[in-house]
Amino acid sequence: MLLGAIADDFTGASDLANTLAKGGMATLQFSGQFSGIASNAPACEAGVVALKTRSAPVSEAVSQSLATVRWLLDQGCEQIIFKYCSTFDSTQDGNIGPVAEALLDLLQTDVAVVCPAFPATGRRVFMGHLFVGDRLLCESGMQHHPLTPMTDPDIRRWLGYQTRGAVGGIALDTVRAGSASLAAAFAAERQAGRRLVVTDAISDDDLVTIGLAVAGHRLVTGASGIAQGLPQNFRARGKLADAAETLPPVTGPGVVLCGSCSTNSQQQVARYATANPSLAVDPRALAGGEISPEGVSAWVAEQGDNTPIVFSTAAPDAVAEAQRRFGREAIAGHIESFFAALARSLADAGIRRIVVGGGETSGAVVEALGLASMRVGREIDPGVPMLVGERNGPLGLALKSGNFGGPDFFTKALQELERP
Ligand code: ADP
């Protein structure tokens, strides 16, 4: 393993693994908490470990991140990526700063890039400020996020609230001057004692330039876009096999499970349900014990070749009502446990292709399936690769966060998984 990564949530890990696989690295995604990882990883060039640390208490996020990165170093990794969301999801007391500083200490290094840019999805950093499309982050809707409201678009200032040390910044002009000038700018920031350096990027070419400039850095932090320029550094040193990884097609019965309630997921569910069998999981019925994973699993089996969807996806007012009635954490926990048990029951009953909507939902499903690692294949839609794990034979998965995927994502993913 040459390049190791930790991601602070599950679908973020798939997104990063997708970028590295597209860059030509043989990539594995490791699932769940650190305790789920085997002591010796199967061979790969890039390993991405999905953590669930985005909204965890700081001390927990730091200790899990450090333990995982120690393990990645034991596997031989020369460079570590710390992947967070391209909307920099965190609070003023949040985890990105403390985790990044702890990793700098662990890796005994004095400088790391901070760049949440992901131009393909409209996230760009200019003069240290983060934009979503043509809006500043704090006017993009992210200011209303239930857990991590982003009320300040200045990433230097926001990160500064979280860190012990001063935060640096490098503007686009320096990035555009080329990788040598940029490398010198990082060195100057380090000299000045600014270890975390917010760096502008508004295009994929900027990210490639940054990738070249940080070739010798032990730590790289950012959204998945930051990984675009990194595989080339290993290729230039003759370290990559460049044996194009083709995953085996996975045939057999499939299912779609969606616990995401994002606007995008609502549209995808509605679209899929018009042409396929669908079963809506009502939180009240779940809380009242009227629906069981075994019962739903039997319903899925009855659908035969008509691949069904099971979803808890609901509009914001229905979600708010369920949260008021049962408590936000309690109902989320109920629904996640339901999908976890359902996925296990379906896999035991012979389902071979599982498409999941929702980051937390994906984490719950993969944990329940007990997949220690998954091979990363071609991209289905931006940021979402096909994955293949082993559970009594190959099991094909596609895991998408709420905001990802086109309107026909579920149909497309099921087809891609069985395409040679
Ligand atoms: P996304 O990627 O869109 O954020 P997640 O799966 O990460 O999706 O999060 C959705 C959360 O909402 C999960 O914790 C899920 O259990 C919860 N949830 C799903 N359906 C409902 C519902 N109908 N009412 C309340 N909460 C729900």
Side-chain angles (χ1 to χ4, degrees):
M1 206 184 285
L2 300 165
L3 184 55
I6 56 170
D8 67 358
D9 85 336
F10 212 91
T11 41
S14 292
D15 180 10
L16 177 62
N18 178 57
T19 305
L20 293 168
K22 275 206 297 186
M25 297 188 88
T27 305
L28 283 179
Q29 178 173 332
F30 297 94
S31 58
Q33 308 290 317
F34 179 67
S35 59
I37 298 175
S39 57
N40 272 307
C44 62
E45 292 168 336
V48 182
V49 183
L51 299 176
K52 202 176 173 194
T53 48
R54 182 167 298 168
S55 303
V58 173
S59 61
E60 212 174 286
V62 168
S63 65
Q64 273 188 38
S65 301
L66 287 175
T68 309
V69 168
R70 281 196 194 97
W71 177 81
L72 288 166
L73 294 173
D74 285 347
Q75 308 308 308
C77 290
E78 299 170 10
Q79 189 171 51
I80 298 295
I81 304 175
F82 168 32
K83 195 271 176 196
Y84 37 78
C85 189
S86 57
T87 41
F88 211 72
D89 299 19
S90 55
T91 64
Q92 287 190 16
D93 309 317
N95 295 337
I96 297 177
V99 168
E101 289 189 319
L103 293 179
L104 284 166
D105 292 343
L106 175 71
L107 296 166
Q108 298 183 329
T109 187
D110 284 333
V111 73
V113 61
V114 173
C115 185
F118 188 5
T121 56
R123 276 69 155 183
R124 296 180 171 86
V125 183
F126 183 63
M127 295 298 169
H129 288 61
L130 182 54
F131 290 80
V132 178
D134 64 354
R135 292 277 157 217
L136 282 164
L137 179 64
C138 58
E139 298 172 1
S140 68
M142 277 303 295
Q143 70 273 29
H144 302 307
H145 191 284
L147 298 176
T148 52
M150 298 303 295
T151 52
D152 186 346
D154 188 334
I155 298 305
R156 298 160 301 182
R157 189 162 48 208
W158 199 255
L159 183 60
Y161 295 134
Q162 303 173 6
T163 53
R164 282 179 279 124
V167 171
I170 296 179
L172 189 66
D173 307 13
T174 307
V175 176
R176 294 273 164 106
S179 58
S181 304
L182 181 53
F186 279 120
E189 290 295 303
R190 186 181 57 221
Q191 285 287 323
R194 294 186 284 268
R195 302 202 297 168
L196 293 171
V197 186
V198 177
T199 305
D200 286 359
I202 64 171
S203 71
D204 287 346
D205 285 348
D206 297 328
L207 289 163
V208 170
T209 304
I210 294 171
L212 280 174
V214 302
H217 289 196
R218 292 277 280 156
L219 178 66
V220 174
T221 88
S224 64
I226 199 67
Q228 285 181 49
L230 301 180
Q232 185 52 31
N233 298 330
F234 293 95
R235 185 171 292 112
R237 291 194 286 131
K239 296 250 180 182
L240 299 190
D242 273 318
E245 171 125 277
T246 41
L247 295 192
V250 185
T251 52
V255 71
V256 180
L257 308 176
C258 191
S260 164
C261 298
S262 70
T263 313
N264 194 40
S265 296
Q266 289 180 57
Q267 288 164 356
Q268 290 163 332
V269 168
R271 176 81 74 106
Y272 190 82
T274 54
N276 300 280
S278 63
L279 194 150
V281 176
D282 180 348
R284 279 167 305 187
L286 201 58
E290 293 153 41
I291 303 182
S292 70
E294 296 72 28
V296 176
S297 181
W299 174 83
V300 169
E302 283 163 21
Q303 307 312 311
D305 289 341
N306 303 317
T307 305
I309 181 168
V310 180
F311 63 95
S312 65
T313 310
D317 50 349
V319 173
E321 163 62 19
Q323 288 177 338
R324 254 195 314 275
R325 194 160 168 165
F326 303 106
R328 176 194 297 267
E329 300 293 318
I331 196 64
H334 259 317
I335 293 172
E336 286 171 35
S337 307
F338 168 79
F339 278 119
L342 176 61
R344 210 170 24 231
S345 165
L346 290 168
D348 288 344
I351 289 280
R352 303 307 325 164
R353 291 171 296 144
I354 305 182
V355 178
V356 189
E360 297 296 328
T361 311
S362 294
V365 164
V366 175
E367 287 280 313
L369 292 172
L371 303 173
S373 65
M374 295 173 286
R375 291 164 70 199
V376 182
R378 62 175 175 264
E379 183 171 64
I380 299 168
D381 265 345
V384 194
M386 56 180 282
L387 301 166
V388 176
E390 278 294 313
R391 195 179 194 276
N392 308 322
L395 184 67
L397 292 127
L399 312 171
K400 70 150 214 102
S401 85
N403 292 323
F404 280 9
D408 286 316
F409 178 81
F410 295 137
T411 304
K412 189 174 175 193
L414 287 162
Q415 286 169 352
E416 280 294 314
L417 286 170
E418 61 182 357
R419 188 164 70 82

